[in-house]
Amino acid sequence: MRVTSNTVSANIVLQIQQLGTQQARLQTQVSTGQRISRPEDDPAAVGRVLNLQSEQRQIAQFSRNASRALELSQASFSGLRELKKVADRATELGTLGSGVAGAASAATYASELNQLIEHSLELGNSRSRDDYIYGGTAVSAPPFVATRDAQGRVTSVAYAGNAAGAAVPLSETASITASTTGTTNLGLRDFVNQLVALRDALNGTAPGAVSAAQISLLAGENVLVSALAEHGGVQTRIEAAQSQQQDRASSLEALVSSETDTDLPSTIVKLNQSQLAYQAALQSAANIMKLSLLDYIR
C-alpha cells in the first residue's frame, strides 16, 4: 500500500499536537494541584464534585442561620438578665418600703422604682440589627407601649407584638426559634406593670398594698428566671449545631479534595515522560521531514 508524504506529515503533526496537549494538561495539574480543570477531564468526578459543592453551600447557609440565631438568643438573654437585676432591686425596695413609717422614705423608694420602670421599658424595646427582640415576628415596631400621666410617669404598659416566633433552620431536619416566646413577652408586660403597681403602692404608703405588690412581682420574676433557663438551653443547642456543621464542612472539603486534587508525585512522573515523548516526536519528525526522493533513489 502506498502512503503519501502528506499523510505521513499529517500523522506526525497530529501526534505532536496530542503530546503537546497532554504535556500542557499535566503542567497545569502540577502548577495548580488540581487534576480537573475542565468537565471533560473526568465527567463522573465533576458530577460528584458539583453535588458536594451544593451541599457545602447548604451547610454554609445553615452556619449563617446558626450565627444569627445565636446572636438573637444572646441579645434576648442579655436583656432578660438585666431585667432580672431590676427585679432583684425592686424586691429590695419593696422590702425596705414596707418597713418604713414615713411617707418621705417611701416616696424615695418609689422614685427609684420609677427609674427602674423606665429602664425596664427600654430593655423591653431593645433591638438587634434594627429588629425589636421581644415582639415575636412583629419586629418593626416597639412591642411595649406605655401609657403616661400628666407628669410623664408610666401608668401602664400594653404589649403590641405577637406570640409568633420565626423558626431558623439549623439543618435539613432541625430548626429553632431563638426569640422569646409569646408567653415570655406577655410576662415582660406584666412584670413592668407589677413594677408600676409597687411604685404606686409605695407612694400610697399602705403597707398591705406594698406586700401585695411584692407578691405579684415575684410571679414576674419567675417568668424571667424560666426565660433565662430556656435561652441557656437554646444557646447550647445552637452551639452544638454549629459544631456539627463545622465537622460536616470539614468532611465535605476533604471529599472535594479527594476528587479534585492531583497526585503530585505521579503527575510529575507522567509530565517528565510526556516531555521526553514530545521531544522524541519532534526529533523524529525533523528526521523524517528531511527525507526526499533522492534519499529513496540511493
Side-chain angles (χ1 to χ4, degrees):
M1 181 178 66
R2 179 171 171 271
V3 179
T4 65
S5 59
N6 286 341
T7 302
V8 173
S9 300
N11 288 335
I12 292 173
V13 171
L14 178 60
Q15 291 175 3
I16 291 174
Q17 288 176 339
Q18 289 175 342
L19 288 170
T21 300
Q22 182 186 46
Q23 186 177 196
R25 180 171 57 82
L26 292 169
Q27 285 174 335
T28 299
Q29 290 180 6
V30 170
S31 62
T32 62
Q34 302 291 307
R35 72 179 187 88
I36 300 175
S37 58
R38 298 171 300 177
E40 58 266 27
D41 291 340
D42 191 339
V46 168
R48 293 191 295 270
V49 168
L50 290 175
N51 288 334
L52 291 170
Q53 290 176 338
S54 176
E55 189 173 352
Q56 282 180 315
R57 288 190 294 271
Q58 192 174 32
I59 294 300
Q61 182 60 59
F62 288 142
S63 180
R64 289 190 292 271
N65 291 349
S67 296
R68 176 55 180 154
L70 184 61
E71 178 185 332
L72 180 57
S73 180
Q74 288 173 339
S76 300
F77 185 89
S78 178
L80 291 169
R81 184 174 55 194
E82 290 301 312
L83 286 168
K84 176 63 170 62
K85 293 178 182 178
V86 170
D88 292 340
R89 180 56 181 164
T91 300
E92 293 175 5
L93 292 175
T95 301
L96 293 171
S98 63
V100 299
S105 296
T108 300
Y109 298 137
S111 178
E112 183 177 349
L113 263 170
N114 197 58
Q115 296 304 314
L116 293 178
I117 292 167
E118 294 291 347
H119 183 46
S120 298
L121 188 60
E122 291 172 0
L123 291 171
N125 288 330
S126 298
R127 292 190 290 182
S128 174
R129 297 192 186 184
D130 293 331
D131 290 342
Y132 288 94
I133 299 174
Y134 302 109
T137 57
V139 297
S140 59
F144 298 99
V145 181
T147 300
R148 298 178 182 272
D149 61 16
Q151 288 74 39
R153 298 180 307 174
V154 176
T155 57
S156 65
V157 172
Y159 181 62
N162 58 42
V168 180
L170 297 180
S171 69
E172 295 87 346
T173 58
S175 61
I176 196 168
T177 301
S179 58
T180 49
T181 64
T183 300
T184 296
N185 295 337
L186 291 175
L188 297 182
R189 177 205 61 188
D190 294 340
F191 171 71
V192 180
N193 285 325
Q194 288 154 2
L195 293 176
V196 171
L198 180 58
R199 180 202 63 192
D200 294 344
L202 287 170
N203 279 328
T205 64
V210 172
S211 298
Q214 275 189 294
I215 293 172
S216 179
L217 185 62
L218 288 175
E221 189 173 359
N222 289 336
V223 171
L224 295 174
V225 172
S226 297
L228 285 168
E230 180 182 2
H231 274 278
V234 166
Q235 290 176 31
T236 298
R237 184 179 168 193
I238 293 172
E239 289 168 354
Q242 286 179 316
S243 178
Q244 183 181 18
Q245 290 158 7
Q246 290 173 354
D247 291 342
R248 287 185 64 186
S250 298
S251 298
L252 288 170
E253 185 64 31
L255 290 172
V256 171
S257 295
S258 68
E259 294 285 358
T260 60
D261 289 356
T262 186
D263 182 355
L264 197 56
S266 174
T267 305
I268 291 174
V269 170
K270 291 178 181 178
L271 176 59
N272 290 333
Q273 292 173 344
S274 178
Q275 288 173 335
L276 289 174
Y278 184 75
Q279 294 298 327
L282 289 177
Q283 185 62 43
S284 299
N287 292 333
I288 292 173
M289 293 303 182
K290 287 191 298 184
L291 293 176
S292 67
L293 183 59
L294 294 176
D295 293 312
Y296 290 103
I297 294 175
R298 292 175 193 171

